Amino acid sequence: QSNWGTSTRYLAVGQKTAHLLSKVTGQSVNYPHVSDSEHLLELAELQSVSGQKIIILRGNGGRELIHETLSERGALVAYKEVYQRKDLPFDASAYCKQWQQQNVDTLIITSGHQLAFFMSQLDNPAMASWAHQLKLLVPSERIANDARTIGFEHIVVPRSAANQDLVAALQP
């Protein structure tokens, strides 16, 4: 805990990250009521940031909207990559066939990167067409717009990407 500044303001995109960061830093960590970049950027602490130094802790890639918006607001923004995201290729042909047999009708995607990677694995037009017919749950309007652009039609944006909100969105 001694390496974490006590005069630094700590923010997190989601509640779980906020609680973990608070334990590590010994400081309070604020987070938005909806766990996404857009709502984080609405926090009062990020409105007047001109000239402030901001470090975004992230995996390999992501959080570009936060960086771009805070830079536009005059902050000096840098990334610190603190974990590794690793895409796990899967046998789309086998899984799609299995999912169709099991009448899977809903797909949950929690990031723009995850959406792009999932679609990249569907290596034939029939699989992509089938996927586009699914109900798609995504955590933000930004990702919903990306999904519409690539052909999804039935898109739901739950209150947040938190498990309880995703489960609530799955209820009939």
Side-chain angles (χ1 to χ4, degrees), residues 33 137 158-170:
H33 65 286
L137 274 62
R159 210 176 74 99
S160 78
N163 288 342
Q164 68 270 19
D165 291 330
L166 292 171
V167 169
L170 290 171

Side-chain angles (χ1 to χ4, degrees), residues 29-94:
V29 179
N30 194 11
Y31 58 92
H33 65 286
V34 175
S35 301
D36 64 21
S37 297
E38 292 83 353
H39 286 85
L40 178 79
L41 289 165
E42 292 176 5
L43 292 177
E45 296 95 326
L46 295 178
Q47 298 312 302
S48 298
V49 293
S50 185
Q52 292 183 20
K53 293 179 184 177
I54 297 176
I55 297 175
I56 299 172
L57 305 180
R58 68 174 189 167
N60 49 315
R63 303 300 176 203
E64 288 84 4
L65 177 67
I66 297 171
H67 189 291
E68 179 183 311
T69 303
L70 295 177
S71 295
E72 287 172 0
R73 293 178 185 173
L76 307 169
V77 186
Y79 289 123
K80 179 72 176 168
E81 293 186 352
V82 296
Y83 64 91
Q84 180 77 29
R85 287 190 304 191
K86 185 170 168 82
D87 295 328
L88 299 175
F90 62 96
D91 183 345
S93 182

Side-chain angles (χ1 to χ4, degrees), residues 90-111:
F90 62 96
D91 183 345
S93 182
Y95 278 106
C96 285
K97 185 176 182 179
Q98 179 183 351
W99 295 333
Q100 288 169 340
Q101 290 170 346
Q102 295 173 342
N103 295 316
V104 168
D105 63 359
T106 304
L107 178 63
I108 300 173
I109 298 282
T110 58
S111 74

